[in-house]
Amino acid sequence: MSNAQASDAGVISADGVPLKVSLARALRRQKIRALMLIAPLLIFVVISFIAPIADMLFRSVENSIVPDTLPKTVVALQEWDPASNEAPGEAIYAAMHADLVIAAEQKIHTRVGQRLNYEAPGVSSLFRKTGRRVDRMEPGNYKEQFLAIDKDWGNVEIWRTIHRFSGNYTSGYFLSAADAELTPDGIELVPENERIYLTLFVRTLVLSFTITLTCALLGYPIAFLLSNLPMRTSNMLLILVLLPFWTSLLVRTSSWIVLLQQQGVINDLLVSIGILDDQNRLELMYNQIGTIIAMTHILLPFMILPLYSVMKTISPSYVRAAKSLGANDWTAFWKIYFPNSIPGIGAGAILVFILSIGYYITPELVGGTSGIFISNRIAYHISSSLNWGLAAALGVILLALILVFYWLYDKIVGIDNVSLG
Amino acid sequence: MKSMYTLATAAAALMAMSSAQAEDMTIVSWGGAYSASQQAAYHDPYMKLNPDVNIINDESSNEAVAKMRAMAEAGNITWDVVDVVAADAIRLCDEGLAIEIDPDKDLAPAPDGTPASEDFGELLVSPCYIPQIVYSTTFGYRTDVAEWGGKEPEDLCAVFDTETFPGKRSLEKRPINNVEWALLCDGVAPDKIYDVLSTDAGVEQALAKLATIRDDVIWWSAGAETPQRLADGEAVIGSTYNGRLFSVIEEQKQPVKMLWDWQVFDLDGWIVPAGLPEDRLKRAMDYIYFATDTQRLADQAKYISYGPARKSSAPLVGKHAELGIEMAPHMPTDPNNAKNTLLYNYEWWADNRDDLDAKFQAWLAQ
Amino acid sequence: MDKDDYIVRFENVQKSYDGETLVVKNFNIDIERGEFLTMLGPSGSGKTTCLMMLAGFEPATNGEIYLNGSPINNVPPHKRGIGMVFQNYALFPHMSVAENLAFPLKVRGMSKSDSEAKVKRALGMVRLDEFGGRRPGQLSGGQQQRVAVARALVFEPDLVLMDEPLGALDKNLREEMQFEIKHIHESLGVSVVYVTHDQSEALTMSNRIAVFNDGVVQQLAAPEVLYEKPENAFVAQFIGENNKLTGKVTAIDGDIAQVTLDGGGDKVAALAVKCGGVGEKSQLSIRPERVILGDEDVPNKMSGKVVELIYLGDHIRCRMEVGDSSEFIVKVANSHAHAALKVGEVTPIGWVTEDCRALDVL
């Protein structure tokens, strides 16, 4: 009888509550306590990491400034056919007037001018100029009055731009980031003399790969040496590896300039020992070589440290075992030691690659024109041109590229095959 | 200079400690010798007169626009007075991030009673902007280049003449100034430059002229790079701010000379961020009133070779505070130096900067 | 005997790491073909160093090591053809069990089919036929151990070195593996040099044991000899349980030494093994199971006070105060005769002279 009841309603605990409910309650309490323990970290991650990324994603498509500042114009422009080669009619100029009067009062007309200037050069000053006089316009005959302020108000291209960017969201930034633009005929690549971002993306990836490779080639023997030396010596050498971290990035980069420039230490040395002719000094910087050398130096510790900590865990008995089984030094290294150090190479390579993709100060200083990265353009749009939407779109593409590479890495090498020791 | 500046800061900090009720005022500027000249000419005298104010220096001017936009978005304005170049001031004003100034109400008149708007004259390029100094971007060259056979550049176009004056050039990695100079040396009349540049063909023409020396150019992005390259012999001729060249020539005594021909005037000055609380705004305006009067602007020229923005300050410019040399001949505005000049065209560049920059960068990346 | 009859010979081998102290002092040994020789000693006694010199991972500082009659001081490890089982097995974690076993065959250039057959046979030998495809990390400790043994044997070396191979296993598994290794040794006829600090392991498995201490071989002998006839106090103490009594030699008559015990002055007769001359100190060694409890007719008679009794089923461990020692252990058979032993009781004890050995003082 009681058995039959239990199987119907589930097992009942001592206080009459079903056992499942009691268990869930007990577990929930535990979960809440665990959650509270990690809460500070969680909040920190959300505020400092997830929120900025979400904000960046949003900014790369956000365009509400145009419909918010010019609400009447945006509505009125829907009547206008952008394919027609005629400027819009009086009604639209009247709407623009009404919008600009309010905007000029709030001093936000220049902002929308800035926004549209990214798409059509000249709009910025057009809006600034017009905003100064818009409250002095007579009612009626707005088109004439606008044209009197600047004949550009009769330019169809300007109206097409406003029409094209009148939505709350835009693909314009992403198109610009891919060297493309939206024309009445659809999406087209910008003229060849304005294409830059695709080149820079490719260059950033190629140079980052090269830097990762040189870091691995240089870092591997160092890490190997460190992990095989007695503790005392290796600790001291490890401090030497970490020493560059105690020097500011700018100082390190500047010292490379002193070394690498044409009148620099390395060239002087080569000339003085007669390897080089004074007229044919090597160009070791203000090009890709400079970027690769300086960045390799700066990022080398990020390769050495994970490699070292992984190599530290490779028992010397593996190599001994291999030798006792008949393998010579090279075979023992290549077949036994090296495969076991791959997780360290993987971790170091991911660190170096991701860091180098985002570097811009060093390439800016030593990269000349051929050694700069996409991040230099992002920095330019963040701090100089203030085109944050474009910067965000470039950042999103860069993030997506990194995720693609991460996925590829997982497919080819396997992400389990990464270890920091 | 640097140690002077440190000392001054330390002294200021001590003073701040002694006056218990001192209020902090954050002033943003460029750092280095320029901040030091402001410290000596403006900050120290101001704090002496107003012991209840403690000025804190922030060296963020090169990223001021981006930071001010971020501050405004976050609703937390931590800066009180910001030193920016005119182009940035126009941008900040356009974005509504800086407050508008009424020169005749907010600024001191000249000693003879001339209102500030007249004293500054056409240099008031934006309603938000109070210029301090006129600086110029111009060329310096080494005087000891063997290949030049004793010749020295006499005009701007020597920069483009790699036959007579072989060697590396150091140019700024942006189109501004470079395209104007290129067109000037490609036969375009000075008053037609921006008309030409407004067409695609004009931009092509400028870039084509620059392409003739492209293999000889090392591009710079920080003002300190050209002086360093000239001193190292890495470049034989290069553009930078005239004050940087002054210190290479007069302070470091390097074999370098100025080529003032077709120097481009630009302005550096103050803006006050929008959205300051009442008490801080009042203090900021009080500081601005003091720091931009005729005597103060003339004082700054004792420490750095930039010309004061007020007409009334020019006669008061004296000798360098340490070197003891007359500063007037080193001012970009000195008639001997200002035979051929360009004034940075703020309006045109505000409209075309992004577009031209894209073209310029694409050209560089080719 | 000619040195070719031995598989391994150490001749006056010395080893120093720092040039100041010798870790191995003048080591000499001949290891016979097919022999199971154990190097036993506390940690730091030099036994592992000797093994590493033999394997080729450490160079001898002085002296010569011969393998199959030829000197090998200048032969690199991979050319010595010696199988080795490491303390933590050293199985290659990135290879499957079968790949681990095939490794020595592959580096020798063996064809794939031959190699596969041998790997299969070796896996069968250690009863792991089903595990060839697994990674070492997926095996239990005992299984890993067996793979390590199979890997060291798969290329059919004449000599296998084992460096504390069972140290990481629990007691039951260790005992099981001891028999398994012993069995493999016997069926293959391979020579084994085995290093351990566990004396019971050494006693179970070895033909001969070299007891190391302080870089010197204290005694090299078969297990029963080591136990029954330790040559010095260290071996007596290290191998098995031992009662020690200290005293002074008063007379030596042939093999027999007369010793007066410290603290009490009892006189005892013992085999004069390594006790020096008359008047010198000596340590007497008597195995606990050789002490006779009760008033029996034996040459050496004393009395002891029972301090502690531990019931162990088949026998009782009785700790007593005898002479100046309060750690004198007697193993009492659990028979009717001794069932009435009580703590605090003073009881007569004794032993025959041959069971008591007069040794040096440590």
Side-chain angles (χ1 to χ4, degrees):
Chain A
M1 176 67 191
S2 68
N3 267 352
Q5 222 176 8
S7 64
D8 270 0
V11 184
I12 305 295
S13 67
D15 54 357
V17 182
L19 192 57
K20 272 188 183 164
V21 177
S22 305
L23 180 67
R25 195 181 297 155
L27 287 181
R28 193 180 322 130
R29 229 171 285 141
Q30 217 171 0
K31 268 186 205 154
I32 289 173
R33 200 176 306 155
L35 203 65
M36 270 163 59
L37 269 177
I38 61 154
L41 181 68
L42 197 68
I43 293 168
F44 177 77
V45 166
V46 167
I47 291 177
S48 69
F49 192 70
I50 296 175
I53 288 181
D55 182 60
M56 180 178 77
L57 288 170
F58 181 63
R59 265 181 208 278
S60 63
V61 293
E62 196 252 9
N63 192 47
S64 55
I65 181 166
V66 180
D68 286 356
T69 319
L70 308 171
K72 296 198 179 83
T73 314
V74 164
V75 173
L77 265 179
Q78 281 169 359
E79 308 293 313
W80 180 66
D81 174 17
S84 75
N85 277 321
E86 279 171 46
E90 175 66 19
I92 291 174
Y93 284 94
M96 178 62 93
H97 174 257
D99 286 337
L100 276 185
V101 168
I102 296 168
E105 211 162 280
Q106 296 171 334
K107 299 205 167 90
I108 53 174
H109 62 292
T110 45
R111 269 196 234 184
V112 77
Q114 275 249 343
R115 163 68 191 97
L116 292 169
N117 198 66
Y118 298 139
E119 316 296 341
V123 182
S124 178
S125 63
L126 188 63
F127 273 66
R128 196 181 312 119
K129 201 196 268 180
T130 312
R132 276 199 294 266
R133 306 199 206 155
V134 76
D135 54 341
R136 275 177 269 153
M137 283 189 187
E138 306 284 329
N141 246 347
Y142 287 117
K143 183 166 183 173
E144 207 171 287
Q145 295 186 62
F146 267 95
L147 285 170
I149 292 173
D150 195 310
K151 62 178 182 350
D152 270 354
W153 280 116
N155 185 343
V156 185
E157 270 312 314
I158 301 277
W159 288 104
R160 277 188 190 142
T161 306
I162 299 173
H163 183 260
R164 206 179 313 136
F165 294 94
S166 58
N168 269 316
Y169 298 97
T170 175
S171 59
Y173 294 126
F174 274 104
L175 289 174
S176 301
D179 285 338
E181 62 187 345
L182 197 62
T183 66
D185 308 330
I187 295 169
E188 278 177 15
L189 283 180
V190 295
E192 205 159 338
N193 66 357
E194 288 172 38
R195 283 180 213 163
I196 178 165
Y197 298 116
L198 293 181
T199 323
L200 282 181
F201 273 118
V202 172
R203 181 194 292 162
T204 302
L205 295 178
V206 170
L207 285 185
S208 296
F209 270 125
T210 316
I211 289 159
T212 309
L213 195 71
T214 51
C215 276
L217 289 178
L218 290 176
Y220 198 92
I222 298 174
F224 183 79
L225 182 74
L226 284 175
S227 66
N228 283 296
L229 283 174
M231 208 54 165
R232 267 179 64 102
T233 332
S234 74
N235 277 346
M236 213 177 69
L237 287 178
L238 205 58
I239 289 175
L240 291 183
V241 169
L242 292 175
L243 206 61
F245 281 135
W246 302 348
T247 327
S248 99
L249 182 67
L250 279 173
V251 171
R252 276 184 283 163
T253 307
S254 309
S255 44
W256 275 113
I257 295 176
V258 172
L259 282 174
L260 295 177
Q261 63 186 2
Q262 283 199 301
Q263 306 296 325
V265 177
I266 291 176
N267 268 309
D268 282 352
L269 194 73
L270 292 176
V271 169
S272 71
I273 58 177
I275 292 180
L276 278 182
D277 186 43
D278 200 21
Q279 301 305 310
N280 301 315
R281 286 171 175 252
L282 297 175
E283 290 200 32
L284 295 173
M285 62 178 301
Y286 306 125
N287 53 25
Q288 302 192 349
I289 299 173
T291 302
I292 291 170
I293 293 178
M295 296 261 294
T296 300
H297 167 238
I298 285 160
L299 295 175
L300 197 54
F302 293 100
M303 180 62 85
I304 292 177
L305 292 178
L307 258 179
Y308 167 73
S309 61
V310 165
M311 284 177 173
K312 231 17 200 174
T313 65
I314 302 177
S315 161
S317 68
Y318 290 156
V319 169
R320 287 184 164 187
K323 287 186 185 169
S324 81
L325 294 170
N328 60 27
D329 290 352
W330 170 249
T331 316
F333 168 78
W334 184 242
K335 295 279 184 193
I336 305 303
Y337 192 89
F338 182 75
N340 280 301
S341 65
I342 283 180
I345 302 179
I350 288 183
L351 272 178
V352 170
F353 185 73
I354 290 178
L355 282 172
S356 71
I357 261 187
Y359 254 63
Y360 66 94
I361 296 175
T362 304
E364 184 71 42
L365 289 177
V366 301
T369 57
S370 63
I372 61 161
F373 283 13
I374 189 71
S375 320
N376 294 83
R377 294 312 290 166
I378 297 181
Y380 167 80
H381 286 303
I382 289 283
S383 60
S384 288
S385 83
L386 285 197
N387 192 347
W388 287 8
L390 180 55
L394 290 168
V396 168
I397 295 177
L398 198 56
L399 181 66
L401 276 175
I402 290 174
L403 292 177
V404 166
F405 277 102
Y406 188 79
W407 176 80
L408 276 177
Y409 184 91
D410 189 27
K411 283 279 146 197
I412 298 166
V413 186
I415 210 65
D416 309 336
N417 235 334
V418 166
S419 167
L420 292 167
Chain B
M1 205 70 194
K2 187 83 191 166
S3 62
M4 265 268 301
Y5 178 46
T6 320
L7 263 177
T9 321
L14 275 175
M15 271 168 57
M17 274 195 286
S18 60
S19 55
Q21 288 288 308
E23 298 278 346
D24 288 343
M25 176 157 71
T26 305
I27 296 187
V28 182
S29 187
W30 300 91
Y34 192 66
S35 278
S37 72
Q38 291 177 326
Q39 183 77 37
Y42 310 154
H43 303 351
D44 290 342
Y46 185 74
M47 284 192 282
K48 212 170 191 179
L49 289 174
N50 298 276
D52 58 330
V53 174
N54 176 38
I55 292 176
I56 295 172
N57 285 290
D58 185 327
E59 303 180 356
S60 302
S61 278
N62 57 344
E63 45 191 6
V65 187
K67 283 202 168 175
M68 283 182 65
R69 195 201 248 189
M71 281 183 200
E73 285 192 8
N76 180 23
I77 316 286
T78 57
W79 292 348
D80 295 289
V81 180
V82 186
D83 186 301
V84 288
V85 293
D88 285 344
I90 292 170
R91 209 176 271 260
L92 287 165
C93 208
D94 278 359
E95 293 242 340
L97 297 172
I99 61 163
E100 288 190 11
I101 308 275
D102 180 348
D104 292 338
K105 203 169 113 248
D106 297 331
L107 304 179
D112 62 2
T114 314
S117 58
E118 252 175 68
D119 204 14
F120 283 104
E122 60 178 3
L123 299 185
L124 291 167
V125 294
S126 157
C128 303
Y129 194 47
I130 311 113
Q132 283 165 64
I133 53 121
V134 177
Y135 71 94
S136 80
T137 308
T138 189
F139 284 90
Y141 59 89
R142 280 190 77 92
T143 52
D144 61 348
V145 184
E147 290 89 340
W148 293 0
K151 281 199 204 115
E152 281 190 20
E154 281 169 6
D155 60 17
L156 170 70
C157 297
V159 174
F160 294 90
D161 182 0
T162 49
E163 296 265 306
T164 322
F165 302 105
K168 293 280 184 195
R169 277 85 170 121
S170 182
L171 295 180
E172 191 172 6
K173 202 194 283 180
R174 61 174 198 174
I176 299 170
N177 300 346
N178 289 330
V179 288
E180 286 101 326
W181 286 327
L183 287 182
L184 276 173
C185 289
D186 207 30
V188 175
D191 57 339
K192 292 278 183 283
I193 285 176
Y194 292 101
D195 294 341
V196 172
L197 273 180
S198 297
T199 62
D200 283 348
V203 175
E204 293 281 316
Q205 186 189 351
L207 292 180
K209 181 69 181 175
L210 283 169
T212 60
I213 56 165
R214 188 164 138 164
D215 292 343
D216 294 301
V217 174
I218 313 173
W219 302 95
W220 61 266
S221 43
E225 287 180 76
T226 292
Q228 189 59 51
R229 283 172 195 164
L230 285 174
D232 289 350
E234 188 71 10
V236 293
I237 183 165
S239 67
T240 186
Y241 313 127
N242 69 294
R244 301 270 189 179
L245 287 170
F246 173 80
S247 73
V248 170
I249 298 167
E250 297 297 340
E251 288 168 17
Q252 301 169 24
K253 304 286 181 202
Q254 293 288 331
V256 172
K257 268 193 190 168
M258 305 281 289
L259 177 63
W260 290 104
D261 195 33
W262 290 113
Q263 53 170 321
V264 182
F265 283 145
D266 197 352
L267 303 171
D268 194 76
W270 303 114
I271 58 102
V272 177
L276 284 181
E278 201 57 45
D279 55 331
R280 278 171 62 197
L281 178 64
K282 202 165 151 260
R283 225 181 305 132
M285 295 308 291
D286 187 56
Y287 171 83
I288 295 269
Y289 188 92
F290 171 81
T292 58
D293 72 15
T294 301
Q295 184 58 49
R296 247 42 64 186
L297 291 187
D299 284 350
Q300 197 189 356
K302 275 193 240 168
Y303 304 97
I304 201 148
S305 65
Y306 294 128
R310 277 179 187 261
K311 295 185 192 89
S312 59
S313 298
L316 303 179
V317 170
K319 289 182 174 168
H320 191 279
E322 282 165 29
L323 301 173
I325 53 175
E326 280 300 335
M327 288 303 278
H330 295 280
M331 293 292 151
T333 42
D334 186 83
N336 281 324
N337 302 333
K339 284 173 195 152
N340 289 320
T341 62
L342 282 178
L343 180 62
Y344 187 114
N345 189 331
Y346 302 106
E347 188 91 330
W348 193 88
W349 278 112
D351 279 346
N352 295 286
R353 176 177 161 164
D354 295 329
D355 186 47
L356 214 65
D357 200 79
K359 286 180 179 150
F360 183 75
Q361 295 297 340
W363 172 78
L364 277 183
Q366 270 168 22
Chain C
M1 238 194 272
D2 189 34
K3 63 185 172 194
D4 290 348
D5 297 336
Y6 299 100
I7 185 157
V8 173
R9 160 172 276 184
F10 279 74
E11 238 178 48
N12 305 325
V13 171
Q14 292 180 310
K15 175 72 186 176
S16 173
Y17 288 105
D18 54 6
E20 284 167 14
T21 51
L22 283 170
V23 186
V24 174
K25 303 168 183 162
N26 203 25
F27 181 49
N28 287 285
I29 200 170
D30 293 319
I31 301 172
E32 288 171 36
R33 263 173 219 294
E35 189 178 17
F36 196 119
L37 182 118
T38 299
M39 299 184 183
L40 174 67
S43 56
S45 60
K47 57 189 193 306
T48 301
T49 307
C50 285
L51 195 78
M52 290 303 165
M53 287 192 285
L54 180 51
F57 298 131
E58 295 288 352
T61 310
N62 195 19
E64 190 66 71
I65 304 170
Y66 297 91
L67 180 67
N68 288 321
S70 359
I72 53 166
N73 278 12
N74 295 319
V75 178
H78 68 272
K79 291 195 174 147
R80 295 190 180 192
I82 301 175
M84 184 149 180
V85 180
F86 290 82
Q87 201 164 5
N88 293 310
Y89 322 136
L91 297 179
F92 307 138
H94 60 294
M95 294 180 177
S96 71
V97 168
E99 285 166 342
N100 262 281
L101 293 193
F103 183 79
L105 307 174
K106 213 163 121 192
V107 298
R108 285 176 170 74
M110 188 176 283
S111 77
K112 205 164 180 193
S113 55
D114 288 359
S115 151
E116 271 168 15
K118 288 206 175 202
V119 168
K120 199 159 183 286
R121 195 148 18 103
L123 280 174
M125 181 179 74
V126 293
R127 295 181 286 111
L128 287 171
D129 308 70
E130 307 299 315
F131 293 86
R134 295 220 193 153
R135 288 286 169 95
Q138 298 167 305
L139 301 181
S140 70
Q143 289 167 334
Q144 292 186 25
Q145 175 58 54
R146 297 217 288 270
V147 175
V149 171
R151 189 180 64 178
L153 290 165
V154 70
F155 62 101
E156 293 166 1
D158 332 326
L159 176 63
V160 177
L161 312 183
M162 300 194 184
D163 182 14
E164 308 227 12
L166 307 181
L169 301 181
D170 63 46
K171 189 166 174 290
N172 283 338
L173 208 51
R174 196 157 61 216
E175 281 170 5
E176 193 187 316
M177 283 306 298
Q178 286 170 9
F179 286 113
E180 208 157 315
I181 291 173
K182 189 70 193 157
H183 175 74
I184 290 170
H185 166 244
E186 277 162 7
S187 61
L188 294 181
V190 62
S191 313
V192 176
V193 178
Y194 193 100
V195 163
T196 183
H197 65 271
D198 180 340
Q199 42 124 341
S200 77
E201 197 167 292
L203 293 175
T204 320
M205 303 174 78
S206 320
N207 298 124
R208 283 196 297 164
I209 299 172
V211 180
F212 274 73
N213 190 39
D214 201 18
V216 174
V217 176
Q218 304 288 330
Q219 189 171 359
L220 170 64
E224 61 276 14
V225 177
L226 275 185
Y227 187 81
E228 303 282 348
K229 294 172 181 164
E231 295 273 328
N232 58 33
F234 176 82
V235 177
Q237 282 293 105
F238 195 72
I239 307 278
E241 204 169 6
N242 180 50
N243 286 315
K244 58 176 183 186
L245 295 167
T246 51
K248 197 178 267 178
V249 179
T250 52
I252 295 181
D253 177 17
D255 303 347
I256 310 294
Q258 298 293 331
V259 179
T260 308
L261 295 185
D262 297 343
D266 290 295
K267 285 190 167 37
V268 178
L271 283 178
V273 180
K274 200 189 178 189
C275 59
V278 174
E280 288 195 34
K281 281 262 191 189
S282 174
Q283 179 181 313
L284 302 182
S285 153
I286 313 122
R287 297 290 180 193
E289 67 273 18
R290 297 294 170 94
V291 180
I292 301 160
L293 211 61
D295 203 4
E296 305 277 332
D297 182 21
V298 286
N300 295 304
K301 285 191 182 177
M302 305 183 64
S303 63
K305 184 180 170 197
V306 178
V307 183
E308 190 181 13
L309 288 166
I310 299 167
Y311 181 78
L312 287 165
D314 61 336
H315 72 273
I316 296 160
R317 265 173 81 88
C318 174
R319 186 158 68 84
M320 305 183 112
E321 276 176 14
V322 173
D324 63 344
S325 165
S326 61
E327 297 289 333
F328 197 90
I329 306 291
V330 181
K331 283 187 185 166
V332 187
N334 189 1
S335 63
H336 292 291
H338 303 301
L341 226 47
K342 289 209 170 50
V343 172
E345 180 184 345
V346 177
T347 180
I349 57 168
W351 55 81
V352 297
T353 305
E354 287 73 24
D355 286 342
C356 180
R357 297 169 74 83
L359 304 170
D360 55 330
V361 178
L362 275 183

